[in-house]
Amino acid sequence: MSDKETLISMGFDAERIDWALRATKNAGLQPAMDHILAHNDEPVPTAEELAEELGEEANIPDVGEAKSIKCSECGKTFRSQATASFHAEKSGHTDFEESTEEIKPLTAEEKAAKLIELKEKLAAKRAAQSKEDEKAARANEALRRKAGQDSGRIKEEMQAKELEREAARKRQEKIADQKARAAVKAQIEADKRERAAKAAAEKAARDGKPPPEAVAAPPKPAAMAAGKSSEAPETRLQIRLHVGGAPLVKTFPSTSTLVDVAEFVSSENLAYSVDTVRFATTFPRKTFAPEDMRKSLKDNGLTPSAVLMASL
């Protein structure tokens, strides 16, 4: 079996084998293996580059009958420049000289032993690399799983908090609706009593009788609660549109102004303009003037809830 066939059977690339055999001038199996190992991480030169490289080596002046290269620092001898360079890279030695000592070629038994040794080294290197790759893969998988678990936990916590906020908001809106309905009902009753008293006074005047004594009206629930409701931090508004459609419902900070409410209405219905929209209440009946638009909902007496009529 030729040196090239032997190296191919060991698993080396054919191009690197040709490079090694040409670079070592077919000096034998050992120099070729040394060259392959020394230049394993280098790209294979093209035919022109290799010819130029060999031509440079051929132009080196003959300094005598050099048979080998010797490391002056450790005393080892090498058959070729390639093996000496490999030794320099591994050991860090830099002092080399030509030697007339001839290195005997390897016997068949030595070649076989070298092949076995090289195969064992290659197998050990591949096994070590495989372990490193497996270790890195396990670490990456652990990180991926942990990231997925953390992401799922954070998502669940955010959903739970959002549900809690939504439930609290609905409870507040329900309480505000109850208070608003009670206030409207009380206002209606007060208006009825006021109209009845006015009608009775007019009838007495027509009949020439003294006006009936005014009956003290019970305190209005809205007035009784005014001290507390006016301090509510939020105001829930139901806004009925002049152009029709479902009423708009939104909770604003009590410090918001009617301009903020106008911007909200304009964003929900393009028929309304922030500059021209006007608001009014039914109970008590009131139309808010332009100077009221800059006042807060609290200052306009709309807390904690109110129904507004929006006109163009």
Side-chain angles (χ1 to χ4, degrees), residues 165-290:
R165 287 194 294 268
E166 182 66 16
R169 185 184 64 80
K170 289 182 178 180
R171 287 195 297 269
Q172 291 178 353
E173 289 181 354
K174 184 177 180 180
I175 293 172
D177 283 341
Q178 292 174 348
K179 290 181 178 180
R181 286 195 293 269
V184 171
K185 185 177 180 180
Q187 184 64 47
I188 292 173
E189 293 297 328
D191 290 345
K192 285 182 179 179
R193 288 192 295 272
E194 184 179 350
R195 288 195 296 271
K198 183 178 180 181
E202 290 176 352
K203 185 175 184 301
R206 287 196 301 271
D207 296 341
K209 297 179 181 180
E213 295 182 0
V215 179
K220 300 179 181 179
M224 294 173 63
K228 294 183 179 179
S229 63
S230 62
E231 300 301 325
E234 293 184 339
T235 299
R236 183 176 183 272
L237 295 181
Q238 182 185 103
I239 307 166
R240 298 177 181 176
L241 305 180
H242 180 72
V243 296
L248 303 177
V249 179
K250 183 175 175 62
T251 300
F252 294 86
S254 296
T255 55
S256 301
T257 65
L258 284 176
V259 173
D260 298 326
V261 179
E263 291 177 350
F264 166 70
V265 172
S266 177
S267 67
E268 294 293 322
N269 193 313
L270 298 179
Y272 288 87
S273 170
V274 177
D275 299 327
T276 59
V277 64
R278 291 292 177 265
F279 298 110
T281 57
T282 305
F283 300 106
R285 188 179 301 276
K286 178 181 179 180
T287 300
F288 293 96

Side-chain angles (χ1 to χ4, degrees), residues 44-148:
V44 178
T46 63
E48 292 78 6
E49 292 173 342
L50 183 57
E52 182 179 354
E53 177 183 344
L54 296 177
E56 292 175 355
E57 293 180 354
N59 291 331
I60 298 175
D62 188 6
V63 294
E65 295 296 330
K67 302 294 185 179
S68 61
I69 299 174
K70 183 177 181 181
C71 177
S72 301
E73 298 183 34
C74 66
K76 290 184 178 180
T77 55
F78 307 94
R79 284 189 176 87
S80 66
Q81 180 68 38
T83 55
S85 298
F86 180 75
H87 173 73
E89 292 176 3
K90 295 297 182 182
S91 64
H93 297 169
T94 58
D95 190 4
F96 292 86
E97 62 181 358
E98 292 183 341
S99 173
T100 58
E101 180 181 352
E102 183 176 1
I103 301 176
K104 295 180 180 180
L106 297 175
T107 64
E109 292 77 8
E110 290 174 337
K111 289 182 179 178
K114 281 285 186 181
L115 288 175
I116 294 174
E117 180 184 357
L118 182 58
K119 288 181 179 180
E120 290 177 349
K121 288 183 178 179
L122 289 173
K125 183 177 180 180
R126 288 171 182 159
Q129 185 63 44
S130 178
K131 288 183 179 179
E132 290 294 327
D133 293 343
E134 184 179 352
K135 183 178 179 181
R138 287 198 300 269
N140 291 336
E141 179 64 16
L143 289 174
R144 186 189 67 77
R145 289 182 179 179
K146 187 176 184 305

